[in-house]
Amino acid sequence: MIFMKLYCDFHIHSKYSRATSEALDLDGIAQAARNKGISIVGTGDFTHPLWFKELKEKLKPAEEGLYEYKGMRFILTVEVSTVFRRENSIKKVHHVLHAPSIETAAQINETLSKYGNLDADGRPVLNVDPAELVEKIMSIDKNILIYPAHNWTPFYGCMGSENMFNSLEECYLEQEKNIHALETGLSSDPKMNWRLSILDKYSLLSSSDAHSAQNIGREMTVFELEEPSYKAINEAIMKKDNRKLSLTVEYYPEEGKYHYDGHRNCNVSMSPEEAKKYGNKCPVCGKPLVIGVLHRVLELADRPDGFMPENASRFTYAVPLIEVLSYITNKGRGTQYVKSLYSSLLKRFGSEINVLLNEDIEAIKEVDKTLAEAIENIRTSKVNLIPGYDGVFGIVDMLNRIKKPTNSIKQKRISDFENGK
Ligand SMILES: [Zn+2]
Ligand SMILES: [Zn+2]
């Protein structure tokens, strides 16, 4: 039997979400996904009336539950934000939904419009308890998929430090029975999630959560299926079938902007161990630190570092190609120089994924030795990592140019690095 490798990015946003790029229309998304080497991309934002109208007009039915636009396959997805009260505190949790058809998406939109204004944002705010949300959604169609977005991030992640749910059961209550997956987010990787035995039953998914075209595909989930369809993807996720859900493509979690604890404005970043020494308070301003993803994982871990459960899916690290080129040339990501290097590599190797993951290092060496060295270091984890914190992205030092900071509280900001300081 022949299996196709399908690179999927389910969670993205359109131009109708707040703080997103105007270029995120169907043409822009299809083009960016094609450059990346993506097979199936989420529509994002299908609850937004104007975006949904555009999707209905322009997407053509392709394989079961999938749609086509200019050669790219689309799957109907949306991220929603639930705001609700539990005991005496307000919780804010983001969830991703997959819909099996335009018709079902229309029914979802009708149901969700009772809980919030769907016009206001491509990622709508819904005043509803997640348990009620899941129950209502499942009563529309059992084939809808819903799972927590970026499960560990401090402000909107289910198990993050602001919401403080210690399991998905605590958040979804009896409706947890309908939750089969979680999104690990940029600041955590499968290895970190494996340290919690309570998470063994969930499929670990990765998507970009892109708010701009160039971020599409920065994380991905790869399926190996006989043929692409909504049903086949959904089944692989729900059954946690790791022959079919074969790989996730991950950021180094340290690069994510909530990996460590810290204060952006105080230029303070530290490991969970150090944060504990300071009573989780900022040594500069004295206010509570923004507690990152690693801290929460360590708090709840019941297994040692390096533990690998049975039925663990494979994953690999990647750094977006534009970022690699910017790093090796010491030129900004938006510069013409970096952009033209990027296009010439796409021309030669077909897609970004080929350069980052699939192409033989020798073939890349023929084009650029330094690039080949950086890619090899990324593939084999021989990179120096400076963790992100409180909204500041971490740094992947691909050629180990930066000396490790001796004082980890004061760390270089990305801007210092880019200015060559
Ligand atoms: Zn979100
Ligand atoms: Zn502070």
Side-chain angles (χ1 to χ4, degrees):
M1 211 167 293
I2 298 163
F3 288 88
M4 311 174 65
K5 227 178 196 177
L6 300 165
Y7 292 87
C8 301
D9 181 358
F10 298 126
H11 176 184
I12 70 153
H13 292 279
S14 77
K15 61 183 176 181
Y16 294 104
S17 275
R18 296 240 172 100
T20 57
S21 153
E22 271 304 301
L24 285 169
D25 55 13
L26 277 176
D27 287 279
I29 294 168
Q31 185 58 49
R34 204 166 12 252
N35 288 349
K36 202 76 192 192
I38 283 172
S39 327
I40 303 171
V41 67
T43 59
D45 297 0
F46 75 66
T47 51
H48 194 279
L50 294 176
W51 186 234
F52 194 51
K53 183 168 175 275
E54 206 170 322
L55 297 177
K56 283 190 287 189
E57 282 166 7
K58 292 182 177 166
L59 294 182
K60 295 192 186 73
E63 297 84 2
E64 182 276 323
L66 302 176
Y67 295 84
E68 185 265 338
Y69 180 76
K70 295 199 173 167
M72 181 52 60
R73 291 289 181 277
F74 283 82
I75 181 168
L76 291 155
T77 61
V78 64
E79 182 188 32
V80 300
S81 175
T82 50
V83 179
F84 57 104
R85 187 178 279 279
R86 279 288 174 83
E87 274 131 40
N88 284 321
S89 64
I90 299 289
K91 310 281 188 184
K92 296 176 180 175
V93 177
H94 289 179
H95 320 260
V96 181
L97 276 81
H98 298 194
S101 68
I102 291 268
E103 295 71 30
T104 308
Q107 283 175 274
I108 293 172
N109 292 349
E110 203 193 315
T111 299
L112 298 190
S113 65
K114 292 165 196 147
Y115 299 111
N117 180 5
L118 303 184
D119 291 282
D121 192 344
R123 179 183 59 208
V125 176
L126 307 173
N127 296 300
V128 61
D129 191 285
E132 185 180 337
L133 173 70
V134 175
E135 192 189 355
K136 286 272 157 50
I137 289 297
M138 286 298 138
S139 71
I140 296 172
D141 188 334
K142 282 277 174 205
N143 295 310
I144 301 168
L145 192 69
I146 179 165
Y147 53 92
H150 42 75
N151 185 48
W152 293 101
T153 53
F155 299 106
Y156 305 102
C158 176
M159 294 172 74
S161 57
E162 292 293 317
N163 287 313
M164 286 297 272
F165 289 118
N166 291 334
S167 67
L168 300 194
E169 284 90 348
E170 279 187 15
C171 174
Y172 294 97
L173 306 173
E174 80 289 353
Q175 287 299 318
E176 183 277 334
K177 62 178 190 251
N178 289 313
I179 306 296
H180 303 286
L182 65 89
E183 201 182 66
T184 54
L186 299 183
S187 299
S188 94
D189 63 7
K191 230 172 105 194
M192 290 166 66
N193 287 267
W194 294 342
R195 297 191 62 179
L196 284 81
S197 56
I198 54 165
L199 300 183
D200 283 354
K201 57 179 167 172
Y202 305 107
S203 282
L204 303 178
L205 302 180
S206 284
S207 287
S208 68
D209 194 0
H211 287 61
S212 68
Q214 68 164 20
N215 283 339
I216 287 176
R218 62 183 169 177
E219 289 205 340
M220 282 175 279
T221 305
V222 186
F223 293 81
E224 288 185 41
L225 301 173
E226 285 165 57
E227 53 188 77
S229 72
Y230 180 92
K231 198 168 167 239
I233 290 169
N234 210 27
E235 269 181 18
I237 295 171
M238 288 179 63
K239 292 183 182 158
K240 196 175 175 178
D241 181 343
N242 288 336
R243 282 172 311 126
K244 292 180 176 168
L245 197 173
S246 64
L247 180 79
T248 53
V249 181
E250 305 278 335
Y251 251 43
Y252 281 99
E254 291 86 352
E255 190 180 9
K257 52 187 182 179
Y258 292 105
H259 188 71
Y260 255 19
D261 304 337
H263 260 177
R264 181 184 197 136
N265 292 336
C266 302
N267 204 16
V268 161
S269 141
M270 58 180 85
S271 70
E273 293 79 11
E274 280 177 286
K276 270 182 219 145
K277 279 187 217 153
Y278 289 100
N280 294 334
K281 299 245 165 64
C282 173
V284 175
C285 73
K287 291 187 188 140
L289 290 164
V290 173
I291 297 301
V293 163
L294 180 62
H295 194 127
R296 281 293 288 158
V297 168
L298 293 179
E299 223 162 54
L300 300 173
D302 59 346
R303 288 167 171 165
D305 187 18
F307 183 91
M308 190 173 175
E310 276 176 52
N311 197 28
S313 56
R314 291 186 308 132
F315 73 93
T316 185
Y317 294 117
V319 175
L321 186 55
I322 283 277
E323 205 178 301
V324 180
L325 296 173
S326 165
Y327 171 92
I328 62 171
T329 59
N330 278 317
K331 287 185 168 53
R333 292 173 205 187
T335 58
Q336 210 46 54
Y337 187 75
V338 165
K339 281 185 189 164
S340 67
L341 267 180
Y342 180 83
S343 329
S344 68
L345 286 166
L346 285 197
K347 227 173 251 165
R348 168 126 185 186
F349 296 110
S351 74
E352 196 177 326
I353 286 166
N354 285 343
V355 182
L356 297 175
L357 304 180
N358 301 330
E359 195 56 66
D360 201 71
I361 288 292
E362 292 306 316
I364 302 172
K365 236 179 231 170
E366 280 169 30
V367 180
D368 187 325
K369 279 207 172 69
T370 316
L371 174 66
E373 195 190 334
I375 299 276
E376 192 167 27
N377 286 349
I378 294 166
R379 288 186 190 174
T380 55
S381 294
K382 290 190 181 110
V383 294
N384 174 23
L385 297 160
I386 300 178
Y389 64 97
D390 192 15
V392 180
F393 276 107
I395 296 167
V396 183
D397 180 19
M398 302 156 217
L399 299 171
N400 298 290
R401 288 170 178 164
I402 306 173
K403 284 199 192 108
K404 289 215 166 135
T406 44
N407 176 359
S408 58
I409 292 175
K410 286 262 174 197
Q411 80 166 50
K412 277 181 178 253
R413 285 171 172 264
I414 291 176
S415 55
D416 295 341
F417 176 65
E418 281 179 344
N419 295 335
K421 279 183 211 160

